[in-house]
Amino acid sequence: MKHIETIIFDLGGVLIDWNPEYVFLEAFKGDVEKTKWFLDTVCTMAWNENQDSGYPIENATNDLVAKYPEYEKYIRMYYGNWEAMIAGAITGTVNVLEHFVTRTNYKVVALTNWSSETFPIAQRRFEFLKWFEDIVVSGVEKMRKPHENFFKLAINRWQIDPKTSIFIDDNPANIKAAKALGINAIHFTSPEQLILDLKTYNISLP
């Protein structure tokens, strides 16, 4: 194993607790089944990912309203109440990030699937997003994880060696894609498990 030089963080689900259920459980008065149906059928994750790839939110919303006019109120709520989908920072992981930034010499960057239209909201809300040397945002680049071209763009921009890099993400498909390119990867499940997983790369945190 080569000496690790670069730490690559995903943002949503790793450093930021984002979940559409926070909005729609309230909208559907706590009805878990209806919330699940709506997010699996109408405002799906695949639909959301299209905006993460650069498709305009207004167009995406209107497309869906045309397809499901009876759910217009709730469809417009998706981006209208988008900030309420963010519960806050995942404190344990932010502490890990802070350690890397302030106490080590690693290159610390982020690779995120995020709409370019909503990302500025997160930037205003979370000071720690300023700690990264660079953040590559899918909506800006109009490509996203787990597509190979998005990873390659980041690797080239940062001028890093995949074999001396660790990628941390909560999505198994993204982990698989990173590993296929020779990037060391950790499937994030919790801050506590992340600290244990980093030890396998001879990286110890206090």
Side-chain angles (χ1 to χ4, degrees), residues 29-46:
K29 298 178 170 46
D31 189 327
V32 175
E33 288 188 10
K34 189 166 186 178
T35 298
K36 186 178 186 307
W37 177 86
F38 182 78
L39 294 175
D40 286 347
T41 309
V42 184
C43 290
T44 65
M45 194 52 63

mmCIF file of all heavy atoms in Angstrom, residues 29-46:
data_model
loop_
_atom_site.group_PDB
_atom_site.id
_atom_site.type_symbol
_atom_site.label_atom_id
_atom_site.label_comp_id
_atom_site.label_asym_id
_atom_site.label_seq_id
_atom_site.Cartn_x
_atom_site.Cartn_y
_atom_site.Cartn_z
ATOM 1 N N LYS A 29 -48.072 14.334 7.143
ATOM 2 C CA LYS A 29 -48.546 14.170 8.528
ATOM 3 C C LYS A 29 -48.069 12.867 9.171
ATOM 4 O O LYS A 29 -48.844 12.149 9.828
ATOM 5 C CB LYS A 29 -50.074 14.269 8.575
ATOM 6 C CG LYS A 29 -50.590 15.638 8.121
ATOM 7 C CD LYS A 29 -52.097 15.694 8.139
ATOM 8 C CE LYS A 29 -52.635 17.106 7.929
ATOM 9 N NZ LYS A 29 -52.019 17.856 6.842
ATOM 10 N N GLY A 30 -46.792 12.557 8.944
ATOM 11 C CA GLY A 30 -46.192 11.395 9.588
ATOM 12 C C GLY A 30 -46.487 10.065 8.926
ATOM 13 O O GLY A 30 -46.110 9.012 9.455
ATOM 14 N N ASP A 31 -47.169 10.083 7.784
ATOM 15 C CA ASP A 31 -47.514 8.836 7.081
ATOM 16 C C ASP A 31 -46.260 8.296 6.378
ATOM 17 O O ASP A 31 -45.874 8.772 5.302
ATOM 18 C CB ASP A 31 -48.629 9.106 6.067
ATOM 19 C CG ASP A 31 -49.194 7.830 5.458
ATOM 20 O OD1 ASP A 31 -48.420 6.861 5.300
ATOM 21 O OD2 ASP A 31 -50.386 7.808 5.129
ATOM 22 N N VAL A 32 -45.630 7.294 6.979
ATOM 23 C CA VAL A 32 -44.368 6.752 6.476
ATOM 24 C C VAL A 32 -44.561 6.093 5.114
ATOM 25 O O VAL A 32 -43.747 6.273 4.196
ATOM 26 C CB VAL A 32 -43.776 5.740 7.483
ATOM 27 C CG1 VAL A 32 -42.523 5.067 6.910
ATOM 28 C CG2 VAL A 32 -43.436 6.435 8.798
ATOM 29 N N GLU A 33 -45.640 5.339 4.959
ATOM 30 C CA GLU A 33 -45.880 4.622 3.703
ATOM 31 C C GLU A 33 -46.115 5.582 2.545
ATOM 32 O O GLU A 33 -45.605 5.382 1.442
ATOM 33 C CB GLU A 33 -47.060 3.657 3.851
ATOM 34 C CG GLU A 33 -46.733 2.446 4.718
ATOM 35 C CD GLU A 33 -47.847 1.414 4.695
ATOM 36 O OE1 GLU A 33 -48.776 1.545 3.866
ATOM 37 O OE2 GLU A 33 -47.796 0.477 5.510
ATOM 38 N N LYS A 34 -46.896 6.632 2.793
ATOM 39 C CA LYS A 34 -47.177 7.601 1.732
ATOM 40 C C LYS A 34 -45.904 8.369 1.362
ATOM 41 O O LYS A 34 -45.666 8.650 0.182
ATOM 42 C CB LYS A 34 -48.268 8.579 2.173
ATOM 43 C CG LYS A 34 -48.769 9.469 1.034
ATOM 44 C CD LYS A 34 -50.042 10.184 1.388
ATOM 45 C CE LYS A 34 -50.589 10.951 0.187
ATOM 46 N NZ LYS A 34 -51.870 11.642 0.477
ATOM 47 N N THR A 35 -45.116 8.708 2.375
ATOM 48 C CA THR A 35 -43.843 9.392 2.125
ATOM 49 C C THR A 35 -42.947 8.533 1.256
ATOM 50 O O THR A 35 -42.348 9.007 0.282
ATOM 51 C CB THR A 35 -43.140 9.728 3.448
ATOM 52 O OG1 THR A 35 -43.966 10.612 4.206
ATOM 53 C CG2 THR A 35 -41.788 10.369 3.213
ATOM 54 N N LYS A 36 -42.829 7.249 1.616
ATOM 55 C CA LYS A 36 -41.989 6.318 0.848
ATOM 56 C C LYS A 36 -42.508 6.185 -0.579
ATOM 57 O O LYS A 36 -41.726 6.219 -1.539
ATOM 58 C CB LYS A 36 -41.952 4.949 1.525
ATOM 59 C CG LYS A 36 -40.991 3.962 0.859
ATOM 60 C CD LYS A 36 -40.952 2.644 1.602
ATOM 61 C CE LYS A 36 -39.885 1.723 1.027
ATOM 62 N NZ LYS A 36 -39.990 1.506 -0.423
ATOM 63 N N TRP A 37 -43.817 6.049 -0.738
ATOM 64 C CA TRP A 37 -44.388 5.928 -2.082
ATOM 65 C C TRP A 37 -44.069 7.158 -2.915
ATOM 66 O O TRP A 37 -43.659 7.046 -4.068
ATOM 67 C CB TRP A 37 -45.907 5.746 -1.997
ATOM 68 C CG TRP A 37 -46.533 5.696 -3.368
ATOM 69 C CD1 TRP A 37 -46.682 4.611 -4.164
ATOM 70 C CD2 TRP A 37 -47.014 6.828 -4.123
ATOM 71 N NE1 TRP A 37 -47.234 4.986 -5.377
ATOM 72 C CE2 TRP A 37 -47.454 6.331 -5.374
ATOM 73 C CE3 TRP A 37 -47.124 8.185 -3.858
ATOM 74 C CZ2 TRP A 37 -47.985 7.156 -6.360
ATOM 75 C CZ3 TRP A 37 -47.654 9.018 -4.835
ATOM 76 C CH2 TRP A 37 -48.088 8.504 -6.065
ATOM 77 N N PHE A 38 -44.263 8.334 -2.333
ATOM 78 C CA PHE A 38 -44.043 9.580 -3.075
ATOM 79 C C PHE A 38 -42.582 9.704 -3.524
ATOM 80 O O PHE A 38 -42.308 10.063 -4.679
ATOM 81 C CB PHE A 38 -44.424 10.780 -2.200
ATOM 82 C CG PHE A 38 -44.271 12.103 -2.889
ATOM 83 C CD1 PHE A 38 -45.218 12.542 -3.795
ATOM 84 C CD2 PHE A 38 -43.159 12.900 -2.657
ATOM 85 C CE1 PHE A 38 -45.081 13.771 -4.455
ATOM 86 C CE2 PHE A 38 -43.002 14.123 -3.290
ATOM 87 C CZ PHE A 38 -43.968 14.556 -4.200
ATOM 88 N N LEU A 39 -41.645 9.382 -2.645
ATOM 89 C CA LEU A 39 -40.223 9.515 -2.979
ATOM 90 C C LEU A 39 -39.721 8.376 -3.866
ATOM 91 O O LEU A 39 -38.707 8.514 -4.533
ATOM 92 C CB LEU A 39 -39.394 9.603 -1.690
ATOM 93 C CG LEU A 39 -39.652 10.868 -0.849
ATOM 94 C CD1 LEU A 39 -38.876 10.802 0.454
ATOM 95 C CD2 LEU A 39 -39.272 12.135 -1.636
ATOM 96 N N ASP A 40 -40.435 7.271 -3.873
ATOM 97 C CA ASP A 40 -40.070 6.149 -4.755
ATOM 98 C C ASP A 40 -40.726 6.263 -6.126
ATOM 99 O O ASP A 40 -40.255 5.655 -7.095
ATOM 100 C CB ASP A 40 -40.485 4.809 -4.129
ATOM 101 C CG ASP A 40 -39.587 4.398 -2.976
ATOM 102 O OD1 ASP A 40 -38.507 5.003 -2.809
ATOM 103 O OD2 ASP A 40 -39.982 3.472 -2.234
ATOM 104 N N THR A 41 -41.815 7.040 -6.215
ATOM 105 C CA THR A 41 -42.618 7.068 -7.438
ATOM 106 C C THR A 41 -42.629 8.412 -8.140
ATOM 107 O O THR A 41 -42.578 8.476 -9.375
ATOM 108 C CB THR A 41 -44.085 6.662 -7.102
ATOM 109 O OG1 THR A 41 -44.074 5.447 -6.365
ATOM 110 C CG2 THR A 41 -44.901 6.500 -8.376
ATOM 111 N N VAL A 42 -42.706 9.494 -7.391
ATOM 112 C CA VAL A 42 -42.844 10.832 -7.984
ATOM 113 C C VAL A 42 -41.504 11.570 -7.943
ATOM 114 O O VAL A 42 -40.786 11.619 -8.941
ATOM 115 C CB VAL A 42 -43.968 11.638 -7.284
ATOM 116 C CG1 VAL A 42 -44.155 12.992 -7.975
ATOM 117 C CG2 VAL A 42 -45.289 10.851 -7.301
ATOM 118 N N CYS A 43 -41.160 12.129 -6.812
ATOM 119 C CA CYS A 43 -39.861 12.822 -6.674
ATOM 120 C C CYS A 43 -38.784 11.805 -6.293
ATOM 121 O O CYS A 43 -38.339 11.734 -5.139
ATOM 122 C CB CYS A 43 -39.962 13.928 -5.616
ATOM 123 S SG CYS A 43 -40.967 15.327 -6.130
ATOM 124 N N THR A 44 -38.386 11.037 -7.267
ATOM 125 C CA THR A 44 -37.466 9.924 -7.010
ATOM 126 C C THR A 44 -36.022 10.410 -6.892
ATOM 127 O O THR A 44 -35.683 11.522 -7.295
ATOM 128 C CB THR A 44 -37.540 8.899 -8.144
ATOM 129 O OG1 THR A 44 -37.058 9.526 -9.351
ATOM 130 C CG2 THR A 44 -38.965 8.417 -8.370
ATOM 131 N N MET A 45 -35.164 9.537 -6.370
ATOM 132 C CA MET A 45 -33.751 9.885 -6.272
ATOM 133 C C MET A 45 -33.141 10.031 -7.671
ATOM 134 O O MET A 45 -32.276 10.882 -7.885
ATOM 135 C CB MET A 45 -32.998 8.824 -5.462
ATOM 136 C CG MET A 45 -31.615 9.263 -5.017
ATOM 137 S SD MET A 45 -31.579 10.872 -4.147
ATOM 138 C CE MET A 45 -32.580 10.503 -2.700
ATOM 139 N N ALA A 46 -33.603 9.225 -8.630
ATOM 140 C CA ALA A 46 -33.101 9.336 -10.001
ATOM 141 C C ALA A 46 -33.458 10.709 -10.587
ATOM 142 O O ALA A 46 -32.654 11.323 -11.300
ATOM 143 C CB ALA A 46 -33.684 8.227 -10.868
#
